[in-house]
Amino acid sequence: MNAPMTQAASTRAIDTEWVRAQFPSLKVAVNGRPAAFLDAPAGTQVPQRVIDAFREYFETSNANTVGQFLTSRRTDEMIAGARAAMADFFNCTADEVFFGPNMTTLTFALARGIGRDLKPGDEIVVTTLDHDGNVAPWRALEDIGIVIRQADIHVEDCTLDMDDLRKKITWRTKLVAVGYASNAVGTINPVGEIVRLAHEAGALAFIDAVHYAPHGSIDVRALDCDFLACSLYKFFGPHMGCIYGRRELLLKFRPYKVRPAPAYLPDRWETGTQIHEGLAGVTAAVDYLADFGRHSDAAAARSRRAALTSAHGAIRSYEMELAKRMIAGLIAISGVRFFGISDPARFSERCPTVGIRVKNLTPLACAKFLGDRGIFTWDGNYYALNLTERLGVEETGGLLRIGLVHYNTAEEVDRLLAAMEELAASA
Ligand SMILES: Cc1ncc(COP(=O)(O)O)c(C=O)c1O
């Protein structure tokens, strides 16, 4: 293993103490040692204010919407607040944001709605790199004659094969569905370029930003995408999904909905009663990030959007220094096979989520070994099934996934590396 770098040399200063103090669950211990939460790609921990938002909603505002009394009015205001928060997060208007229980459910609903305006023979392009939440909802449209084309990857570095993608986007393509970043191996896709290719062909662009959202700033206007999905529980919020849709498209396409439900935006895309307490938590999660931005950069205090952009800037540089330390350490361990981009010169193309295998061991055995030592990781395919099949690892248990976010520390990375050395030596 490479000699561990010092904290000062390895990480651009963020106030890790301030950050970690916001997250009560980081105090969880396993056999007397603090847990190292390296499982963020499956869901992050939440700051205290998200927990408080749930309690406060139930204590002061619990009601259904549009009623003529106090708690109902408070609920309406709270929902408007959640939309405004996500509008700042995405850089769009509040009526372009709709919520639901998770990204997958919302994407199935959106795909079914869009499918009503498609005809047999129309094509949709998906990719081998994506989570199935951005594949299966579009594949379901095969039932009505839509043709699905799947863009391949370069196996050697787990990046999208852009030449193949270009070939698959034709005048028949009506929509291109692509991930912003891979939840299995951390690749960040050139989504701006992909949106441009889709639009040149007259197709729409749907971006799955679930994995990217905790790691980088999202600007739907700059990207010019038509739809973008994410899940709050992946970036310090509650178990909720959220989609941005371009205003005119949300009005044009027809959701399946009950007749008395509103036909106006964005409510028309929200079926049934929403998870109100979760929506209260949405605002709290976005405000946490904005406060982190202000804490890291006083000049960011101007607006919530500016503060969020600062937060993501600080997060990105901190996380990537940690990732450098982790990846250098992992690839130096004999018996570790690394999937994805490992050259630090190309780290702008990745986020700090890595997929590995250890010789002679299943990912399940590795995750258990680490879990027993208080280091939380994941094994399997994490629903990125096209990818684990393409990499030839699906039948033998997928990959071991280790994911960092800004509440992780260099010390946790070093603990992981020490445990991995022990594990690989024993294999
Ligand atoms: C990249 C990606 N897309 C989609 C999903 C599905 O999100 P949800 O659990 O909100 O349906 C996940 C969940 O892990 C994911 O990582």
Side-chain angles (χ1 to χ4, degrees):
M1 193 183 108
N2 289 351
M5 294 173 269
T6 64
Q7 171 94 19
S10 67
T11 55
R12 174 96 61 90
I14 68 167
D15 189 347
T16 321
E17 212 176 303
W18 183 89
V19 169
R20 289 182 68 86
Q22 311 294 311
F23 292 85
S25 58
L26 296 182
K27 295 195 185 75
V28 167
V30 179
N31 298 328
R33 295 197 73 181
F37 288 88
L38 309 185
D39 63 333
T44 49
Q45 301 307 303
V46 298
Q48 182 65 47
R49 68 179 78 193
V50 171
I51 302 167
D52 293 344
F54 270 61
R55 202 199 53 247
E56 274 164 34
Y57 175 73
F58 283 126
E59 282 177 359
T60 64
S61 315
N62 190 18
N64 217 320
T65 53
V66 297
Q68 300 308 311
F69 53 92
L70 180 70
T71 49
S72 182
R73 287 196 192 107
R74 283 182 177 162
T75 293
D76 293 339
E77 276 167 28
M78 181 278 294
I79 294 175
R83 289 200 209 290
M86 285 310 295
D88 284 345
F89 192 82
F90 289 144
N91 194 25
C92 65
T93 58
D95 64 354
E96 292 175 308
V97 172
F98 62 98
F99 293 103
N102 52 57
M103 173 275 183
T104 307
T105 306
L106 287 175
T107 306
F108 267 109
L110 182 70
R112 285 211 314 152
I114 292 176
R116 291 171 110 175
D117 282 17
L118 300 181
K119 53 181 192 325
D122 284 345
E123 294 186 0
I124 290 179
V125 177
V126 299
T127 88
T128 299
L129 198 54
D130 272 68
H131 184 286
D132 221 46
N134 196 24
V135 177
W138 309 110
R139 283 215 175 270
L141 298 178
E142 286 175 320
D143 291 351
I144 58 164
I146 306 305
V147 176
I148 304 297
R149 311 246 278 156
Q150 189 167 310
D152 201 3
I153 58 159
H154 297 292
V155 171
E156 60 283 7
D157 63 0
C158 297
T159 56
L160 272 185
D161 180 340
M162 290 297 287
D163 289 335
D164 191 47
L165 183 71
R166 271 187 210 96
K167 272 187 226 136
K168 298 228 155 102
I169 300 176
T170 70
W171 59 272
R172 283 193 218 90
T173 311
K174 297 297 173 211
L175 185 137
V176 178
V178 68
Y180 208 138
S182 158
N183 69 315
V185 288
T187 315
I188 297 175
N189 293 320
V191 279
E193 163 77 356
I194 296 168
V195 171
R196 198 180 57 70
L197 290 172
H199 287 173
E200 266 174 19
L204 300 174
F206 177 98
I207 311 289
D208 170 3
V210 171
H211 190 66
Y212 186 74
H215 304 298
S217 180
I218 294 173
D219 185 338
V220 294
R221 294 278 182 259
L223 278 179
D224 197 29
C225 58
D226 300 292
F227 302 100
L228 182 140
C230 64
S231 288
L232 272 295
Y233 74 95
K234 308 284 191 180
F235 59 100
F236 322 111
H239 289 92
M240 298 280 303
C242 180
I243 289 191
Y244 153 80
R246 199 189 286 280
R247 193 165 202 288
E248 59 271 27
L249 295 174
L250 292 181
L251 284 168
K252 176 185 153 192
F253 291 117
R254 294 164 298 141
Y256 285 87
K257 60 185 275 301
V258 292
R259 286 170 301 156
Y264 50 78
L265 280 188
D267 307 51
R268 72 201 239 109
W269 289 93
E270 292 175 342
T271 36
T273 306
Q274 292 296 297
I275 307 163
H276 295 167
E277 61 280 14
L279 291 170
V282 166
T283 308
V286 173
D287 281 340
Y288 157 72
L289 276 174
D291 275 355
F292 169 66
R294 293 186 185 106
H295 188 80
S296 308
D297 170 12
R302 293 182 306 276
S303 70
R304 183 162 55 188
R305 173 74 193 164
L308 288 168
T309 308
S310 280
H312 273 124
I315 283 173
R316 180 97 187 118
S317 63
Y318 175 75
E319 283 183 355
M320 292 322 291
E321 288 303 321
L322 275 193
K324 269 186 206 157
R325 184 186 192 100
M326 177 171 75
I327 292 170
L330 286 173
I331 57 182
I333 297 173
S334 158
V336 167
R337 181 172 166 210
F338 190 88
F339 294 78
I341 296 168
S342 60
D343 175 2
R346 292 182 58 203
F347 275 11
S348 60
E349 297 170 64
R350 70 145 41 256
C351 51
T353 299
V354 303
I356 59 170
R357 297 271 313 203
V358 181
K359 200 169 130 197
N360 299 331
L361 291 175
T362 62
L364 174 68
C366 298
K368 180 161 182 347
F369 176 91
L370 295 170
D372 290 347
R373 284 154 184 75
I375 301 171
F376 300 172
T377 60
W378 278 101
D379 68 284
N381 61 36
Y382 349 103
Y383 289 17
L385 180 60
N386 285 336
L387 179 65
T388 50
E389 284 179 344
R390 180 73 175 86
L391 295 175
V393 294
E394 177 59 24
E395 282 185 0
T396 52
L399 298 172
L400 176 74
R401 178 178 67 183
I402 307 155
L404 305 175
V405 285
H406 71 292
Y407 55 60
N408 293 124
T409 63
E411 192 206 353
E412 289 175 328
V413 168
D414 292 346
R415 241 177 97 192
L416 166 84
L417 294 175
M420 288 301 301
E421 285 211 30
E422 194 192 328
L423 175 65
S426 72

